[in-house]
Structure formats: C-alpha cells, structure tokens
Amino acid sequence: MRRLRVKLKILPLLSVLVTLRVNHLFTCCRRRDLTRSWQGDFGCSFIVYGRCHSQQRHHLAINCCPKNIKMGNCCSSPKENASKASKQKVILHFDEDFPPNNSSYYGNDVDLNETITWMRASEIAQQNGKDPLFFDQHGASRFDVKQGKLGNCWFLAALSDLPMHPKLFKKVVDPDQNFGIDYQGKFRFRFWDFGEWKTIEVDDFLPTIEGQLRGVTSQNSGEFWSALAEKAYAKHHGNYAIALDGGFVAEALEDLTGGIGEEIIMAEISDQSDFFRRLLQAYKTRSLMSASILPSSSINDETGLASGHAYSLNKVIEIKLGNETVQLLRIRNPWGNSTEWTGQWSDGCQKWENLPSEIKDKLDFESKADGEFYISLPDFIEMFDQVTICHLSMDSIDKSAYEWKMAELEGSWTIKSGLYANLLKAFDDPQYLLELKNTDKDGFCTILVSILQKAEDRNSYGSIGFEVFRVDDPAEELPLTSNFFANCQIEESHQTKIRRAATKRLHLKPGKFVIIPHNYYGSGTEEITKRFLVRVLYEGRVTFKRLK
C-alpha cells in the first residue's frame, strides 16, 4: 500500500517544487525458525548457527554497563530539528539500491504470513515517546544489542563485542553521525570484504511489526546504531534473509574486524589448562571471541542455556580464593534477557555472597537479567560445543596490542566445475611458498593459515581446503611438479568443507613449505574462475610468496 501526497508550489521563476511524502506498507513472510544442518561433498557435516530467538522478550530497564564509546553532541531535540526544517525543506535520503520492500527483506523467498511495515527510525522513536538517537547519553555498549525475531544470534554475538574495542568500533560505526540538526536519513558503516574495507550507506527505514523493530533493539528504545548496523550488514550481503538468517560467528567477526576466525571444538580439547591459556592469551591480546552450542545438543532447559545458539565471550579471568584458583569466563546471551546460565557462578549463585568486594569489582559483577553471566571453565567445556577466536594482526588497529603479523596474497582457480583438485592434479593449482625462520620456546613455529574464497553471496560457497608440503630439499624444483606428487607426504591439511574460509592452526618445525589451496564447485562442465585470499598469521620472521 502506498500513499502519495504531491504538493506543487509555483515559484516566481516558474520553477516547480515537488514534495513527495511516501508511506510504505509491505507484506512479508516470517520464515520458519529452523537450524540448517548441511552435509559437505566429502562427508563433512556442519551446523549453521542461528535461526533461534526467544519466544518471549523481557524488555527490562537496564543501566548501561561499560561506556567505552563516548559521544559529545550526539543528538538534537525535536525542537532543533523543527527549527531547521522551518528554514529549509529537507528531503530525507531514500536508498534506491536497498528500498524498504519485500526484496530487501526476504528476497524471492516470500510468504505473506507476516506484515512488515517499514518505518523511519525517527518515527519509531516518536511512536515510543522518545527522541531518536544514534547513541544515547551513555555511548555504545554491548547491552545495546538485543536479538529480535531474526535468526542472527551469530552476527549479534559478534556485534555486541565491538563496543568493548573502541578503535575497532569506530572503524565499523562512524561516530560522526546522528539524528540532530544535520539529520538527512542517511547512515554509514564499514565492513571488511575480501581484503578491503567497504563503506555501506543506508537510509533509516527499518522493518517493524506493529510499530516495534523486528530485528535487533537497544536497551534504550530510542537508540538505533545497532539496528542500522544490522540493516547495513543485510544490504552488504543482499537482503535480511541472505545476510542474517543463520550463519557462522567466524564470518561475522571477520567482517567486523578483518581478522581471522579460528574455531575450536570442545570435544577435541585434551588439555584444559592449555585451552584456558589460549583463551586468556586471546583475551589479553584483544581478540574477539564467541561460544556456541550445537542444535543437536541435549542440553537441559533448566541450565538456562539454549541449543543451536551463539553467545559472546567477553572476559577471561583467573582469581585466587584462598588456596583455590578459579578460572572463569564471562558469557553474554544476545537475547539480552533473563535467559542465563543457572549453575555454579551464575548470577544467583551463593558463591557471590561470600566473595570479597575487591574481587567482585575486578570481575565487574552485577546480578541483572541482561543475558550476561559467569561460568567456570569445567562447566563451560561441558555445556558448550565450540569457541571461535577472531585473531587480529598488528596492522589491524593498535600495533601495541597484537602479537600476530599478517601476510596476505590473492589468487584464483580456473577450473571446470566439479573437478576436485586431488594430489594427481594438485600441481595445476596455485602454489605458495612459506618459509618459517623463528620458533617458539618449544622449537616449533605456530601459524594460522586461512584460505578465504570470494563468492557472489553467502549461499554460493564451494567446498575448499588446502594441503601443506615440506620442501626443505634445496634440489627440489619449484613450483612443485607432478614428479614431486608421485611420491610425497602431506605435512598438514585442512579437510574440504563448504565454508567461506578454510582455517587451521599449524605447529611446524622451521623450514620451507608449499601451501596448495584446493576446491570443489559441484557438477558440470562449464569452466569457471574463482578468486581467493591466502592469509597467514605469524610471529617472528617469515618469507611468503606465490610460486604459480
């Protein structure tokens, strides 16, 4: 339904001013809340987290916690806006590339079971008796991210971490924009995309149901930075359904930081002390982290945890209680309500009553129904299935904060779709020489290798992986030829999976290695070209170059 009101005013020079006021009402479908489980081409199954939301939302008045991002004059009153409007006609931005309609929300997957009304943020705020704000007086906080009815816990778990990293936050969310006197209905955000940061501009039409946001909300119903960031991410990837309805936390973290997401499976942890050391090191070097529970988990609802759900992991700490050392993790449910862990060290646990105030202050503990809670390391390993750590390099933001350095090269496969690059054909694929020169204390070199493919959208990834071969023999011909592969051993490999990136931590003796990315893009005979990035995080000194 669309109403047009056209007002003509004839000026002395016979010019015509046409003012259009458009109210958009569109009908969209509410998709079923299911969690997708896909099977890779070579027997590797994996889970897409998300498509989960609480059936009931408790909109509580929550005081803003860490105020990491401060704003000065971040908003103007309606009177100031009216004063400007009285002096000149302001035509608010309308995004023709991402209009407020069905295609921007659901694409072609539309079922008219749900009515979506697109409203400007200023209209939503006024309907709730608020002044529209980009940031409220507290600035940006992780508690400004409360999941709505979209299945995008995986994205919001990443987004809610961002305000705790002010420099990263300002790289993604331009702080110099507001609903004040310069308000034009246009907002800017930046996302990392295949090696570069891209600016995405959106208008402030947001999808609502009965006047309330369908997507992410803030604890202040008049604050909109998180809802507009969600919209910009949806535009960046095509529409709300493609961008947000189920996904991987690693991808969201990479898009918000430019880092490399490493996934750790709990069932594969053999040494809890070493695992905690890795988490603590990641926290100290300002890596962003998340924890997830598989949909197949048999977790009990009485625990306060949800299966098929992603959480943010925003604090790792070790405390001394007498002769006991306690290792704790702080987790946040993006639902942002009372659905929290109920076991040991939960908000209502008696352990907090006898804890010295100085330790409570160190932990920044408050008992609130805000989705955030502490959990001990053993309980965490038992209850959760996966941790994602997004490692940042020295070139990311703050060189003093990070130990990793990053080397990055672009390449491409020119293949016939359906041709799997096995060892007999590996010499036809691009090859990259990596020489490791420095070692850790144990005499090994620790690196993180990631092959990132470029795809048209999140639904068109091929199966990718890589092999690593040691080539210390100075007589070995480079690039590697078919003679080498006739009698060789694989030093390391990453199993082929349908994922945007194939990433693995490697622990290698110093020396020379050749990395060969491989791929599989389904059946067919058409020749296609697919681009990819090879990214390596390392410490010390390395040589990294393309051989072919």
Side-chain angles (χ1 to χ4, degrees):
M1 183 183 300
R2 179 176 295 183
R3 295 183 298 166
L4 301 179
R5 178 168 58 83
V6 181
K7 179 180 179 182
L8 301 181
K9 181 177 179 181
I10 302 178
L11 300 178
L13 295 178
L14 299 181
S15 62
V16 179
L17 173 66
V18 179
T19 303
L20 301 179
R21 181 177 179 83
V22 182
N23 291 331
H24 300 268
L25 179 63
F26 300 93
T27 55
C28 295
C29 148
R30 177 178 180 180
R31 296 170 61 163
R32 275 187 269 175
D33 297 304
L34 301 174
T35 302
R36 293 176 288 179
S37 177
W38 295 346
Q39 187 76 19
D41 291 283
F42 298 93
C44 48
S45 61
F46 58 92
I47 300 299
V48 178
Y49 293 104
R51 317 196 79 177
C52 53
H53 57 84
S54 65
Q55 299 300 314
Q56 183 177 3
R57 293 284 182 261
H58 303 281
H59 298 287
L60 303 175
I62 304 170
N63 293 329
C64 192
C65 230
K67 295 128 180 125
N68 300 86
I69 308 298
K70 292 292 187 181
M71 293 299 298
N73 213 352
C74 62
C75 59
S76 298
S77 69
K79 289 184 179 180
E80 290 175 300
N81 291 332
S83 174
K84 178 177 179 179
S86 66
K87 295 178 182 179
Q88 64 183 62
K89 295 291 183 181
V90 178
I91 300 176
L92 296 180
H93 175 64
F94 180 87
D95 190 350
E96 295 182 356
D97 295 327
F98 198 68
N101 60 21
N102 287 346
S103 63
S104 296
Y105 198 82
Y106 283 124
N108 298 322
D109 185 12
V110 177
D111 186 355
L112 306 182
N113 288 334
E114 195 171 56
T115 298
I116 298 294
T117 304
W118 294 80
M119 301 173 62
R120 286 199 182 272
S122 54
E123 296 176 303
I124 299 170
Q126 290 166 10
Q127 180 171 287
N128 294 328
K130 301 270 190 175
D131 288 340
L133 303 169
F134 194 63
F135 302 116
D136 66 13
Q137 69 272 23
H138 301 298
S141 159
R142 62 187 182 275
F143 299 107
D144 296 338
V145 180
K146 298 176 65 177
Q147 186 178 352
K149 294 185 177 181
L150 294 168
N152 63 339
C153 58
W154 60 280
F155 172 69
L156 299 183
L159 184 65
S160 64
D161 275 346
L162 215 54
M164 301 182 68
H165 303 261
K167 291 184 179 180
L168 274 174
F169 184 88
K170 292 178 182 179
K171 193 174 186 71
V172 175
V173 184
D174 185 349
D176 298 324
Q177 49 190 346
N178 53 62
F179 288 90
I181 197 167
D182 296 323
Y183 167 61
Q184 296 180 348
K186 179 190 294 187
F187 294 88
R188 302 173 301 279
F189 298 87
R190 300 178 75 210
F191 302 108
W192 184 87
D193 182 11
F194 200 70
E196 61 180 353
W197 286 89
K198 292 186 177 180
T199 299
I200 305 297
E201 290 187 342
V202 293
D203 61 31
D204 63 335
F205 279 104
L206 295 169
T208 69
I209 299 175
E210 298 180 354
Q212 301 301 314
L213 286 171
R214 192 184 192 281
V216 65
T217 60
S218 172
Q219 57 184 346
N220 180 341
S221 61
E223 183 182 49
F224 292 98
W225 75 261
S226 57
L228 291 167
E230 182 182 66
K231 178 177 183 177
Y233 195 72
K235 177 182 178 180
H236 179 52
H237 285 287
N239 58 56
Y240 277 81
I242 291 177
L244 300 171
D245 200 12
F248 294 95
V249 184
E251 293 182 14
L253 287 170
E254 289 173 352
D255 291 347
L256 295 173
T257 66
I260 295 180
E262 177 189 13
E263 296 174 344
I264 302 173
I265 308 301
M266 298 300 196
E268 299 175 357
I269 295 173
S270 58
D271 186 337
Q272 289 193 12
S273 297
D274 181 67
F275 174 61
F276 182 79
R277 181 191 59 78
R278 287 175 63 181
L279 293 181
L280 187 60
Q281 182 67 13
Y283 176 70
K284 288 180 177 180
T285 55
R286 304 183 191 178
S287 300
L288 280 71
M289 293 182 281
S290 172
S292 304
I293 301 176
L294 290 171
S296 58
S297 172
S298 58
I299 197 161
N300 194 315
D301 290 342
E302 294 179 359
T303 63
L305 303 176
S307 60
H309 195 43
Y311 297 73
S312 61
L313 196 174
N314 56 46
K315 196 177 187 71
V316 181
I317 194 167
E318 194 171 55
I319 59 173
K320 293 282 188 180
L321 296 178
N323 296 325
E324 182 186 8
T325 299
V326 181
Q327 296 168 331
L328 295 174
L329 309 176
R330 190 174 67 190
I331 310 295
R332 182 176 182 271
N333 184 345
W335 292 351
N337 59 17
S338 59
T339 307
E340 301 178 4
W341 164 243
T342 58
Q344 294 294 306
W345 292 103
S346 63
D347 283 9
C349 180
Q350 292 183 351
K351 289 181 178 291
W352 294 104
E353 296 179 4
N354 301 322
L355 207 62
S357 57
E358 59 270 20
I359 295 182
K360 286 185 180 180
D361 293 340
K362 184 179 180 181
L363 295 171
D364 193 23
F365 170 74
E366 289 185 274
S367 179
K368 290 185 176 182
D370 55 7
E372 191 164 83
F373 56 86
Y374 275 95
I375 187 171
S376 68
L377 179 68
D379 285 337
F380 177 73
I381 293 175
E382 179 182 357
M383 295 295 169
F384 286 81
D385 296 303
Q386 179 175 290
V387 166
T388 302
I389 303 175
C390 187
H391 300 279
L392 307 180
S393 70
M394 294 177 67
D395 299 325
S396 298
I397 296 293
D398 186 352
K399 290 186 177 181
S400 64
Y402 310 116
E403 297 180 352
W404 294 102
K405 302 173 186 176
M406 184 181 290
E408 179 180 290
L409 291 171
E410 183 175 341
S412 64
W413 296 288
T414 301
I415 59 174
K416 287 185 178 180
S417 56
L419 177 62
Y420 173 59
N422 56 35
L423 286 184
L424 297 179
K425 292 290 185 180
F427 61 89
D428 289 334
D429 279 329
Q431 299 180 18
Y432 297 85
L433 178 66
L434 176 68
E435 184 175 2
L436 304 177
K437 302 176 182 179
N438 294 91
T439 67
D440 302 329
K441 294 179 180 179
D442 60 0
F444 285 80
C445 304
T446 300
I447 62 173
L448 204 64
V449 176
S450 181
I451 311 299
L452 176 75
Q453 62 179 305
K454 180 69 173 176
E456 295 179 0
D457 58 55
R458 293 181 61 241
N459 292 329
S460 59
Y461 297 146
S463 296
I464 61 172
F466 62 85
E467 274 83 36
V468 178
F469 302 90
R470 181 177 287 275
V471 288
D472 286 336
D473 186 352
E476 189 66 60
E477 183 180 355
L478 296 176
L480 300 176
T481 66
S482 57
N483 292 331
F484 175 86
F485 295 105
N487 185 25
C488 70
Q489 289 186 339
I490 299 175
E491 186 80 10
E492 285 281 0
S493 66
H494 186 289
Q495 186 180 17
T496 302
K497 293 183 179 181
I498 302 177
R499 290 289 299 273
R500 185 176 76 173
T503 302
K504 188 173 182 178
R505 177 183 290 254
L506 305 181
H507 207 49
L508 303 169
K509 283 283 189 180
K512 293 183 179 180
F513 303 86
V514 171
I515 301 173
I516 301 183
H518 61 244
N519 59 80
Y520 181 86
Y521 279 91
S523 60
T525 58
E526 179 185 358
E527 188 172 86
I528 57 176
T529 299
K530 295 290 185 179
R531 297 166 60 201
F532 61 86
L533 286 178
V534 182
R535 300 198 290 166
V536 179
L537 281 178
Y538 64 94
E539 299 179 63
R541 295 185 302 118
V542 305
T543 298
F544 185 53
K545 64 181 181 179
R546 178 167 180 165
L547 295 174
K548 59 172 290 188

